[in-house]
Amino acid sequence: DQQVKQNSPSLSVQEGRISILNCDYTNSMFDYFLWYKKYPAEGPTFLISISSIKDKNEDGRFTVFLNKSAKHLSLHIVPSQPGDSAVYFCAASGRYGGSQGNLIFGKGTKLSVKP
Amino acid sequence: DSGVTQTPKHLITATGQRVTLRCSPRSGDLSVYWYQQSLDQGLQFLIQYYNGEERAKGNILERFSAQQFPDLHSELNLSSLELGDSALYFCASTPGGRMGGYTFGSGTRLTVV
């Protein structure tokens, strides 16, 4: 049973426009959420995170929104750049419960930003 | 360079064989995590070590084992390999505690033929 779901395997966006990547989770014990970016032949790199006590966190062109009632988070990239083309993983962690504080990852969304 | 070193980068071996993957965490990091990424799958948590002690286990098969040594490097041992074990194996490290992002290595690509 997938606790973290990224239902869109891929997303294509024009350069300069907004990219919105979505993530849903099922475990209400999750209280910390992260986004990772992964280029081919490299390990995932940390992008941005949000604690469940917040509903928004911003870092430059990247903003993560958290809707706890809907168990949904999203990553907005504005403006999108060709260098943003990568696979984006959503991850969640909970202090209690089965995850034991470890990160549970979604399957990823491949973002393509076209010039 | 993330500071987390994984060797080897690529490994091709036959079914039934045993391999060892190595991870050197970022300097000062006490926690090491192992993840498996199979085709079309997300990163599946296998096991965590903290300062030499096993801290948590995920979906790790009995044929797989790991350890963390006094110098904090870790090894993941995969035995009786099957075709389905072909995957990318990532190691990540953190200073300790659960908050903050992991620092991942670039992974070991294992191909079982």
Side-chain angles (χ1 to χ4, degrees):
Chain A
D1 180 34
Q2 264 192 286
Q3 297 186 70
V4 177
K5 299 177 186 178
Q6 293 178 257
N7 292 320
S8 297
S10 63
L11 175 67
S12 183
V13 171
Q14 205 66 33
E15 180 180 5
R17 306 295 290 269
I18 184 170
S19 294
I20 300 176
L21 295 98
N22 294 304
C23 177
D24 297 295
Y25 62 96
T26 58
N27 191 336
S28 57
M29 291 302 218
F30 288 148
D31 61 357
Y32 190 61
F33 305 88
L34 307 90
W35 285 93
Y36 281 80
K37 177 178 176 180
K38 184 182 180 304
Y39 293 116
E42 294 182 13
T45 55
F46 171 71
L47 195 56
I48 193 169
S49 64
I50 187 166
S51 165
S52 60
I53 62 173
K54 295 186 174 183
D55 54 19
K56 177 182 174 182
N57 189 25
E58 203 169 344
D59 184 1
R61 297 185 297 112
F62 303 91
T63 302
V64 56
F65 295 92
L66 176 62
N67 182 333
K68 289 187 291 294
S69 61
K71 293 192 179 70
H72 176 83
L73 63 155
S74 61
L75 174 68
H76 292 210
I77 306 173
V78 184
S80 301
Q81 300 173 353
D84 296 329
S85 297
V87 177
Y88 289 78
F89 290 98
C90 171
S93 172
R95 184 176 295 280
Y96 305 108
S99 70
Q100 298 186 39
N102 297 303
L103 291 182
I104 307 297
F105 284 84
K107 292 188 177 183
T109 296
K110 184 176 183 179
L111 174 65
S112 299
V113 180
K114 301 188 183 306
Chain B
D1 183 9
S2 68
V4 177
T5 304
Q6 288 188 249
T7 57
K9 291 195 182 304
H10 302 277
L11 198 49
I12 301 175
T13 190
T15 54
Q17 295 297 304
R18 172 188 169 96
V19 297
T20 297
L21 313 184
R22 182 187 170 102
C23 170
S24 293
R26 201 175 49 169
S27 178
D29 284 357
L30 300 177
S31 272
V32 170
Y33 303 79
W34 286 97
Y35 280 81
Q36 178 194 56
Q37 185 185 17
S38 301
L39 191 64
D40 296 331
Q41 296 294 315
L43 292 147
Q44 300 291 319
F45 169 65
L46 295 178
I47 196 163
Q48 178 206 356
Y49 279 83
Y50 176 81
N51 202 20
E53 299 288 329
E54 181 184 303
R55 178 62 66 90
K57 258 185 175 179
N59 299 321
I60 188 166
L61 300 171
E62 286 190 12
R63 300 183 284 110
F64 296 1
S65 65
Q67 52 185 328
Q68 186 178 28
F69 294 86
D71 67 352
L72 301 178
H73 92 270
S74 177
E75 292 181 357
L76 179 67
N77 301 297
L78 315 177
S79 61
S80 303
L81 285 167
E82 301 174 0
L83 296 178
D85 297 327
S86 296
L88 269 168
Y89 291 84
F90 288 103
C91 164
S93 72
T94 63
R98 72 179 189 99
M99 304 303 282
Y102 294 177
T103 301
F104 280 86
S106 57
T108 293
R109 179 172 291 281
L110 173 67
T111 303
V112 182
V113 296

